Amino acid sequence: MSEQSEPAPTARTRPGGRTAAVRQRILRATIELAAQHGVERLNYEEIARTAGVNRVTVHRNWPDRNQLLQEALAEYAADSVPLQDTGDIYTDLTDYLCSMASTGESPVGRALLQTAMYSGDEPVIRELGLRLLERRLSSFQSLLDRAVERGDLPPVDAAFLNQMLSGPVHLHLTRARTPFTREDAQRIVSFVLAGARATADVPVPDHPDTEPTA
């Protein structure tokens, strides 16, 4: 197919028909290649070949490679780890960790991990990561607030609790040789919730090297 006849997806709008299909192929190829080879090795030639389009089509619509990566991640990552509110915080958090693990094993999850490792000097990618985190933490805090209202939890900081829950999942995905199971999720949730409840009214001690303030 010639460059003149090939439909051109746009990075700013969501076109319909065949143009939309081409756009989706390009974004999917970007995610798959980032997951397989890492962000630093992304190039237009391989993206175009994987998507089955002309290289010029990709470059014309996404002249900045990081903008292409940002849009691909935003397309597939926004709802990759859903949060359900069943009224049972234990079940909801267990489901949350299982979804997190499932996503982490997918092309989108691997691409997100690669991007997180690479994005230190790339403000466009870093900004996307912060927006996705803020969106997740907002939903997570709402879930916790409802649990607090029901008396299932003491008031707790969403960002801190999310770190305590998600850290073991990420460690398992990167280090363990066995699949992450629901039983793994249940053990993590039980341990973290027990700690949150046990330390609800316990003041955080000063670090021994910290000078007392007046």
Side-chain angles (χ1 to χ4, degrees):
M1 180 179 290
S2 68
E3 295 172 17
Q4 288 78 14
S5 61
E6 187 174 313
T10 173
R12 292 188 176 85
T13 61
R14 292 177 177 267
R18 188 165 178 227
T19 302
V22 171
R23 173 182 176 276
Q24 288 297 320
R25 293 209 309 270
I26 293 171
L27 296 181
R28 171 54 68 178
T30 302
I31 285 288
E32 291 175 352
L33 292 171
Q36 291 173 15
H37 307 306
V39 173
E40 292 178 311
R41 294 178 58 186
L42 274 180
N43 62 80
Y44 287 111
E45 288 81 1
E46 193 168 7
I47 291 171
R49 183 167 59 252
T50 302
V53 301
N54 194 288
R55 177 189 182 281
V56 176
T57 298
V58 183
H59 191 275
R60 182 173 64 243
N61 292 282
W62 290 279
D64 185 324
R65 187 194 63 166
N66 285 332
Q67 289 287 351
L68 171 57
L69 179 60
Q70 181 191 45
E71 186 170 345
L73 290 170
E75 180 81 9
Y76 291 102
D79 300 315
S80 59
V81 185
L83 272 168
Q84 304 295 330
D85 186 0
T86 66
D88 181 343
I89 190 63
Y90 175 81
T91 298
D92 294 338
L93 292 180
T94 299
D95 291 341
Y96 173 60
L97 295 192
C98 289
S99 295
M100 184 182 298
S102 178
T103 297
E105 295 168 342
S106 70
V108 171
R110 292 194 298 271
L112 285 169
L113 180 59
Q114 289 281 356
T115 303
M117 296 171 61
Y118 168 76
S119 63
D121 297 325
E122 299 293 343
V124 171
I125 303 302
R126 186 168 62 249
E127 179 185 350
L128 171 65
L130 290 173
R131 289 205 310 271
L132 292 173
L133 178 60
E134 288 173 0
R135 185 184 308 172
R136 178 180 297 180
L137 287 181
S138 177
S139 299
F140 194 67
Q141 185 70 69
S142 297
L143 179 70
L144 298 182
D145 288 344
R146 290 189 289 273
V148 171
E149 291 173 1
R150 295 192 303 266
D152 294 339
L153 272 181
V156 61
D157 178 75
F160 180 73
L161 191 67
N162 188 58
Q163 290 174 353
M164 296 300 99
L165 290 166
S166 62
V169 178
H170 293 307
L171 186 63
H172 188 104
L173 293 177
T174 56
R175 301 288 180 86
R177 297 180 180 273
T178 57
F180 186 87
T181 66
R182 188 168 186 84
E183 288 73 22
D184 293 323
Q186 290 171 334
R187 290 177 61 194
I188 295 168
V189 171
S190 296
F191 191 86
V192 172
L193 289 185
R197 289 162 178 152
T199 60
D201 299 320
V202 178
V204 178
D206 292 333
H207 190 280
D209 296 333
T210 303
E211 293 290 337
T213 57

